[in-house]
Amino acid sequence: MRKKFIITIDGPAGAGKSTVSKILAKNLNYIYLDTGALYRALAYKSLKKNISLEDVDALAGLCSTTAVALKNFDGRIKVYVDGEDVEEKIRTEEVSMTASKISTYAVVREKLLDLQRKTGIRGGVVAEGRDMGSVVFPHAEYKFYLDAKIEERIKRRYKELLDKGSSVEYQSVQNDMLRRDKQDKQRKIAPLIIPDGAVIIDSDNLTVQGVVDKIASYISIK
Ligand code: DC
């Protein structure tokens, strides 16, 4: 039987991680693990419950009473909060910013750690996020850090939101992206870093397929 690897893809928002990870997982017949969706799921619930993002006790309470689950549909994982499919509802800018904020707290990160590791335990997973290669799967066989220029990442995110029918302003996407970069990179616990042993891929001058091909060229599946 073929060995099933853990492949991690870390990087900032808008670098193209999700698109590339989904294609890679499909090509390899691996599970696609979108860990941002887990933080987004808790962010969604905290917004729904009107919890102050500065109130650590309230967030701890939310973590202990909220069921976050991942379900696998033919390799595509969907995220559920207390049994509700929240896939569509967690993709807004408000949820992005809230996810970035709550992910700075230890209680939130600890709640989600086991779930992520359990999903990857048998290998055969492409895990995408901010701390995949550094904290969640430090022993992953293949680690990548996907990056792109800030202007390019803002443009991509802006287009993605417009395509979804949002009437968001370019300036507000830019502000959010800069704030999120800072928050994700400067937080004390599991910040976004280039993990030890990761291959850095710059997606600026590459097409999506170009990035997929480049990543695949490092992976030897016998
Ligand atoms: O990848 P994303 O945009 O869906 O992630 C949303 C936020 O969740 C991100 O700004 C920070 C947090 N996050 C994290 O702290 N660790 C991860 N592994 C994934 C996401």
Side-chain angles (χ1 to χ4, degrees), residues 10-14 17-18 34-40 90-91 95-104 109 116 128-132 136 157 180-181 183-184 187 189-190 192:
D10 289 299
K17 299 186 301 296
S18 306
D34 171 7
T35 60
L38 301 175
Y39 291 92
R40 285 171 181 273
I90 59 173
R91 304 292 167 189
V95 173
S96 301
M97 294 310 294
T98 307
S100 174
K101 173 70 187 172
I102 66 166
S103 68
T104 61
R109 304 205 73 82
Q116 296 171 70
E128 177 234 308
R130 303 294 187 287
D131 60 342
M132 297 297 97
V136 180
R157 181 77 186 134
R180 200 140 75 97
D181 270 6
Q183 201 156 247
D184 294 349
R187 68 179 177 225
I189 316 161
L192 170 63

Side-chain angles (χ1 to χ4, degrees), residues 38-201:
L38 301 175
Y39 291 92
R40 285 171 181 273
L42 285 179
Y44 166 78
K45 173 97 183 256
S46 68
L47 286 167
K48 203 168 154 185
K49 292 277 169 196
N50 248 318
I51 285 179
S52 157
L53 303 182
E54 307 302 329
D55 188 342
V56 190
D57 291 339
L59 279 170
L62 179 101
C63 285
S64 63
T65 54
T66 303
V68 178
L70 294 173
K71 291 186 188 168
N72 188 349
F73 297 91
D74 288 332
R76 168 92 184 95
I77 292 206
K78 271 194 180 189
V79 63
Y80 289 77
V81 176
D82 300 327
E84 178 189 357
D85 173 358
V86 292
E87 188 59 39
E88 297 298 321
K89 296 177 184 151
I90 59 173
R91 304 292 167 189
T92 65
E93 270 307 271
E94 188 186 24
V95 173
S96 301
M97 294 310 294
T98 307
S100 174
K101 173 70 187 172
I102 66 166
S103 68
T104 61
Y105 295 112
V107 68
V108 170
R109 304 205 73 82
E110 274 157 23
K111 173 174 176 75
L112 299 176
L113 189 59
D114 265 8
L115 183 59
Q116 296 171 70
R117 288 201 173 134
K118 272 187 195 138
T119 309
I121 202 161
R122 289 192 189 85
V125 63
V126 179
E128 177 234 308
R130 303 294 187 287
D131 60 342
M132 297 297 97
S134 55
V135 175
V136 180
F137 301 116
H139 305 298
E141 282 86 359
Y142 294 103
K143 298 183 189 182
F144 298 91
Y145 185 89
L146 191 56
D147 209 349
K149 280 201 199 74
I150 181 76
E151 299 78 22
E152 187 59 33
R153 294 193 286 113
I154 296 165
K155 258 196 267 166
R156 286 180 194 163
R157 181 77 186 134
Y158 178 59
K159 183 175 180 305
E160 196 181 295
L161 289 165
L162 290 189
D163 288 349
K164 274 192 198 145
S166 160
S167 56
V168 70
E169 299 280 336
Y170 184 87
Q171 188 63 43
S172 105
V173 176
Q174 175 168 335
N175 294 343
D176 283 0
M177 184 78 88
L178 291 171
R179 262 179 60 205
R180 200 140 75 97
D181 270 6
K182 192 166 167 206
Q183 201 156 247
D184 294 349
K185 286 179 180 173
Q186 295 185 356
R187 68 179 177 225
K188 289 204 179 72
I189 316 161
L192 170 63
I193 55 163
I194 300 169
D196 274 350
V199 174
I200 302 169
I201 297 189

